[in-house]
């Protein structure tokens, strides 16, 4: 089976930095994704890590440690529009079948003025 | 460029009524297609995925079924809706076994009353 854990809610201040953690346990690991989802909308892709280390993309960075089953999403210079749910998702590849994304329950981030 | 269309955007249906949600993808061939459900305050749950016409894999036992009559068309159905079928239904597509991120449709908010 698989298990993906991330905090339910977080609060941060505009202009600050916030780190959202995700731990996972799964077989057939084939990469970790972060998605952003605003209320009532579809998730949109933020980042992808398959090797250990940090991937930086503008104000957003994502880190992966495969040996620890751990990832984090780092958001810098927070803006009010960053208030959203952030979904950690693990890609699983089993027996040559297509990759499947298994999602955590998401972290609801509230950015305050 | 590839686009994914999902409709309707919102739907209110009585218990016991049938359901048909449609998803189509444009600008690509032989995509992998997925149906997810997101209950209120919950994560995304994978319901079905398809790697080709007529090929459907079910992830969880439930009151729903899926079909893929054409390469770029994915349909989610039910003969008799239950209250527990309420949720936000999302269609997504990806290509091949490469662990690329999914692209989601805009979603259907289903309320069973």
């Amino acid at each position: 089976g698989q298990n993906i854990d991330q905090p339910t809610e977080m609060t941060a201040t505009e202009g600050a930095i916030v780190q959202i953690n995700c731990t996972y346990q799964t077989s057939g690991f084939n990469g970790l994704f972060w998605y952003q989802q605003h209320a009532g909308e579809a998730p949109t892709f933020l980042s992808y890590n398959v090797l250990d280390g940090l991937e930086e993309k503008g104000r957003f960075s994502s880190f992966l440690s495969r040996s620890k089953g751990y990832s984090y999403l780092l958001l810098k210079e927070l803006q009010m529009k960053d208030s959203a749910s952030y979904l950690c998702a693990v890609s699983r590849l089993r027996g040559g079948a297509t990759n499947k994304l298994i999602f955590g329950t998401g972290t609801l981030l509230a950015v305050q003025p | 460029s590839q686009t994914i269309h999902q409709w309707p955007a919102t739907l209110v249906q009585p218990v016991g009524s049938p359901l048909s949600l449609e998803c189509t993808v444009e600008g690509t061939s032989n995509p992998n297609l997925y149906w997810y459900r997101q209950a209120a305050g919950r994560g995304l749950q994978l319901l079905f995925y398809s790697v080709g016409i007529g090929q459907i894999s079910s992830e969880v036992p439930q009151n729903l079924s899926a079909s893929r009559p054409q390469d770029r068309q994915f349909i989610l159905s039910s003969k008799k809706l239950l209250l527990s079928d309420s949720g936000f239904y999302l269609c997504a597509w990806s290509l091949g076994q490469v662990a690329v991120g999914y692209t989601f449709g805009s979603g259907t908010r289903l309320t069973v009353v």
Side-chain angles (χ1 to χ4, degrees), chain A residues 21-113:
Chain A
N21 296 323
C22 172
T23 58
Y24 65 90
Q25 292 177 311
T26 188
S27 57
F29 178 83
N30 196 33
L32 188 140
F33 294 80
W34 284 95
Y35 280 80
Q36 180 190 61
Q37 185 180 25
H38 286 98
E41 298 181 8
T44 55
F45 170 80
L46 287 180
S47 69
Y48 166 62
N49 296 69
V50 67
L51 300 176
D52 287 356
L54 187 68
E55 295 284 341
E56 298 185 79
K57 189 185 297 184
R59 295 190 297 115
F60 292 13
S61 303
S62 56
F63 171 83
L64 175 66
S65 169
R66 296 182 64 156
S67 62
K68 296 181 180 179
Y70 168 69
S71 173
Y72 68 72
L73 179 69
L74 193 70
L75 292 76
K76 304 176 184 177
E77 302 170 15
L78 280 173
Q79 302 176 9
M80 298 300 292
K81 68 178 182 179
D82 296 329
S83 294
S85 284
Y86 291 86
L87 310 177
C88 174
V90 172
S91 177
R92 299 184 63 206
L93 195 63
R94 294 191 302 178
T98 183
N99 64 294
K100 295 188 291 185
L101 281 188
I102 308 301
F103 285 82
T105 54
T107 299
L108 182 61
L109 174 66
V111 180
Q112 299 177 339

Side-chain angles (χ1 to χ4, degrees), chain A residues 30 33 35 37 40-43 45 48 87 91 93-94 96-105, chain B residues 32 34 36 38 42-44 46 49 51 59 88 90 96-102 104-106 109:
Chain A
N30 196 33
F33 294 80
Y35 280 80
Q37 185 180 25
E41 298 181 8
F45 170 80
Y48 166 62
L87 310 177
S91 177
L93 195 63
R94 294 191 302 178
T98 183
N99 64 294
K100 295 188 291 185
L101 281 188
I102 308 301
F103 285 82
T105 54
Chain B
N32 298 322
Y34 309 84
Y36 281 84
Q38 188 174 36
R42 303 285 299 276
L44 289 166
L46 179 61
Y49 70 92
V51 300
E59 286 295 293
F88 190 42
L90 289 155
Q97 296 185 19
V98 177
V100 295
Y102 291 7
F104 286 88
S106 54
R109 176 77 57 190

